[in-house]
């Protein structure tokens, strides 16, 4: 091979390398610009966000919280049922928290089920459970803090518990698990880092999403990997998708957080009251996976489906809404009371 041929091949190789490096650099720059663009757009949305109930937290993994001091009456549009809620100075439902009290404190963490969406204060599960424990045969002077925040998922609930566990110094922690708790929150503007949590390239995921939307009317022809709410809650769990992996880790972290302080941890698994609670019920695989995690982690779990199944769902849900009603919470309190009693009577180092 002549010197000129070698020189030509070397020049071509150099050009190819330069092209590849330039292309890679351009992609990196494009990725950086796209991420900055999405972040700026989200910050602008946060700045102008106004909601009577939700307060955006741009610098917190919680994403949002409830506005302290809100006192509001709501109406279920489809049924005309009226109900009200009142938030205390800490931004949680119910009376003010008295951390100086000698009562046994219980933290009940969860989402809208724990919060008691659609029912008055006297009907929510934490309140009914507290009243039941105060009577015969339990006679325990306990104060159950309702830390339910509508829309929260398990990851947010872990961060919430991590923030308040030392401030409230409880003797027991309870977590309400609902069938969509592996899904991202959908109550406020989504944080870009949450939407793109499971992908390496935000830009590539966005391009795939736009391709599906415009070329296939939104059908997921290309897998985007975006952290979006699923229509099929079961698949994300039984197929061990990233959402469930992260959720299971959050459950483990919550149990570990309580265990590190010598505090018992009880998992309460709620069925979906939008579904028939009989053989037609579609979410049993999720119940099985959550209960399997609890058994593996050595966590006490109470699956309310075992006690509420084969009952007409209309008896147990808010008419026109689908959340559990006061009767459902009454039944749940009766199931949970002996379990909570046993946990509170067992000495712990929580306080």
């Amino acid at each position: 091979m002549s010197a000129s041929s070698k020189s030509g091949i070397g020049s071509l190789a150099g050009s190819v390398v330069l092209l590849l490096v330039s292309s890679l650099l351009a992609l990196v720059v494009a990725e950086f610009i796209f991420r900055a663009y999405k972040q700026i757009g989200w910050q602008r949305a946060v700045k102008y966000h106004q909601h009577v109930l939700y307060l955006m937290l741009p610098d917190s993994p919680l994403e949002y919280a409830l506005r302290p001091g809100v006192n509001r009456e709501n109406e279920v549009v489809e049924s005309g049922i009226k109900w009200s809620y009142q938030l205390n100075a800490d931004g949680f439902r119910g009376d003010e928290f008295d951390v100086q009290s000698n009562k046994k404190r219980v933290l009940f963490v969860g989402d809208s089920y724990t919060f008691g969406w659609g029912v008055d204060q006297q009907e929510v599960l934490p309140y009914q459970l507290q009243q039941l424990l105060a009577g015969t045969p339990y006679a325990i002077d306990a104060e159950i803090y309702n830390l339910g925040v509508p829309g929260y998922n398990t990851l947010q609930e872990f961060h919430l518990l991590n923030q308040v566990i030392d401030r409230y110094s409880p003797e027991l922690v309870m977590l309400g698990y609902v069938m969509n708790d592996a899904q991202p929150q959908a109550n406020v503007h989504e944080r870009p880092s949450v939407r793109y949590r499971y992908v390496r390239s935000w830009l590539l995921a966005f391009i795939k999403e736009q391709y599906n939307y415009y070329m296939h009317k939104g059908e997921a022809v290309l897998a985007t990997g975006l952290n979006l709410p699923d229509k099929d809650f079961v698949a994300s769990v039984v197929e061990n998708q990233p959402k469930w992996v992260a959720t299971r880790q959050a459950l483990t972290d919550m149990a570990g957080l309580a265990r590190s302080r010598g505090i018992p941890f009880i998992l309460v698994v709620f069925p979906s009251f939008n579904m028939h609670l009989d053989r037609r019920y579609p979410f049993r695989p999720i119940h099985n996976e959550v209960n399997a995690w609890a058994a593996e982690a050595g966590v006490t779990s109470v699956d309310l489906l075992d006690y509420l199944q084969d009952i007409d769902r209309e008896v147990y849900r808010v008419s026109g809404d689908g959340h559990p009603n006061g009767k459902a919470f009454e039944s749940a309190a009766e199931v949970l009371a002996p379990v909570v009693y046993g946990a509170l009577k067992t000495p712990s180092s929580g306080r």
Side-chain angles (χ1 to χ4, degrees), residues 294-314:
E296 181 181 337
V299 167
T300 298
S301 65
V302 179
D303 192 337
L304 295 176
L305 180 62
D306 295 337
Y307 303 90
L308 303 179
Q309 61 184 347
D310 297 327
I311 302 295
D312 184 359
R313 63 179 177 178
E314 299 303 330

Side-chain angles (χ1 to χ4, degrees), residues 29-69:
V29 171
E31 178 75 19
F32 176 82
I33 293 174
F34 180 75
R35 292 191 180 208
Y37 166 77
K38 297 298 287 186
Q39 187 67 20
I40 291 172
W42 178 76
Q43 290 174 342
R44 183 179 295 111
V46 169
K47 181 179 179 180
Y48 294 103
H49 174 85
Q50 294 292 331
H51 195 281
V52 295
L53 181 58
Y54 304 123
L55 178 67
M56 296 289 289
L57 302 176
D59 299 319
S60 170
L62 293 177
E63 299 187 62
Y64 67 95
L66 301 180
R67 291 185 180 275

Side-chain angles (χ1 to χ4, degrees), residues 31 34 195-196 198-226 228:
E31 178 75 19
F34 180 75
R195 181 183 180 87
Y196 295 95
Y198 305 119
V199 299
R200 292 184 178 181
S201 171
W202 292 16
L203 179 58
L204 180 58
F206 174 78
I207 292 173
K208 290 179 179 179
E209 180 186 29
Q210 297 305 300
Y211 174 82
N212 289 339
Y213 181 79
Y214 287 107
M215 302 302 293
H216 298 279
K217 298 181 179 180
E219 183 180 350
V221 174
L222 296 180
T224 65
L226 292 173
L228 302 174

Side-chain angles (χ1 to χ4, degrees), residues 26-330:
L27 290 174
V28 170
V29 171
E31 178 75 19
F32 176 82
I33 293 174
F34 180 75
R35 292 191 180 208
Y37 166 77
K38 297 298 287 186
Q39 187 67 20
I40 291 172
W42 178 76
Q43 290 174 342
R44 183 179 295 111
V46 169
K47 181 179 179 180
Y48 294 103
H49 174 85
Q50 294 292 331
H51 195 281
V52 295
L53 181 58
Y54 304 123
L55 178 67
M56 296 289 289
L57 302 176
D59 299 319
S60 170
L62 293 177
E63 299 187 62
Y64 67 95
L66 301 180
R67 291 185 180 275
V70 172
N71 190 343
R72 185 174 174 81
E73 182 176 279
N74 283 7
E75 180 177 342
V76 179
V77 177
E78 293 185 16
S79 62
I81 293 176
K82 293 184 178 180
W83 64 283
S84 61
Y85 60 80
Q86 179 177 340
L87 306 184
N88 61 26
D90 287 6
F92 297 110
R93 188 171 189 181
D95 297 331
E96 298 298 330
F97 296 159
D98 182 8
V99 296
Q100 304 302 321
S101 169
N102 291 324
K103 295 181 179 181
K104 293 180 180 293
R105 282 195 291 279
V106 178
L107 305 186
F108 204 139
V109 184
D111 61 6
S112 58
Y113 275 38
T114 302
F115 178 89
W117 193 265
V119 300
D120 291 325
Q121 172 62 19
Q122 292 74 21
E123 297 179 286
V124 302
L125 177 55
Y127 181 86
Q128 292 205 56
L129 181 57
Q130 177 179 302
Q131 296 301 109
L132 197 57
L133 289 170
T136 306
Y138 308 109
I140 287 187
D141 194 12
E143 192 170 20
I144 303 181
Y145 290 5
N146 185 344
L147 304 188
V149 179
Y152 267 17
N153 56 40
T154 308
L155 277 70
Q156 291 168 293
E157 290 159 357
F158 162 68
H159 289 298
L160 174 60
L161 179 63
N162 191 38
Q163 288 186 13
V164 304
I165 191 169
D166 292 328
R167 184 198 317 169
Y168 296 146
S169 186
E171 292 197 35
L172 173 65
V173 172
M174 302 176 68
L175 171 68
Y177 190 91
V178 180
M179 295 298 99
N180 64 349
D181 277 359
Q183 303 297 318
Q185 66 83 16
N187 281 14
V188 300
H189 301 286
E190 59 186 354
R191 188 193 301 269
S193 59
V194 173
R195 181 183 180 87
Y196 295 95
R197 172 177 284 155
Y198 305 119
V199 299
R200 292 184 178 181
S201 171
W202 292 16
L203 179 58
L204 180 58
F206 174 78
I207 292 173
K208 290 179 179 179
E209 180 186 29
Q210 297 305 300
Y211 174 82
N212 289 339
Y213 181 79
Y214 287 107
M215 302 302 293
H216 298 279
K217 298 181 179 180
E219 183 180 350
V221 174
L222 296 180
T224 65
L226 292 173
N227 185 25
L228 302 174
D230 293 320
K231 294 181 180 179
D232 185 356
F233 298 156
V234 175
S236 63
V237 173
V238 300
E239 295 175 7
N240 206 33
Q241 294 178 9
K243 292 176 187 176
W244 171 238
V245 173
T247 298
R248 191 171 54 208
Q249 184 60 53
L251 289 168
T252 300
D253 291 341
M254 292 183 78
L257 182 62
R259 188 177 294 117
S260 69
R261 289 156 174 77
I263 303 171
F265 182 82
I266 296 176
L267 177 67
V268 181
V269 185
F270 289 99
S272 173
F273 290 85
N274 272 324
M275 304 296 172
H276 291 285
L277 303 176
D278 53 25
R279 292 182 178 181
R280 293 169 289 181
Y281 185 72
F283 297 137
R284 290 180 186 276
I286 299 180
H287 288 256
N288 294 339
E289 290 292 334
V290 175
N291 290 322
W293 167 84
E296 181 181 337
V299 167
T300 298
S301 65
V302 179
D303 192 337
L304 295 176
L305 180 62
D306 295 337
Y307 303 90
L308 303 179
Q309 61 184 347
D310 297 327
I311 302 295
D312 184 359
R313 63 179 177 178
E314 299 303 330
V315 176
Y316 281 141
R317 67 178 184 174
V318 176
S319 178
D321 177 87
H323 280 83
N325 61 20
K327 184 174 179 60
F329 289 140
E330 180 183 1

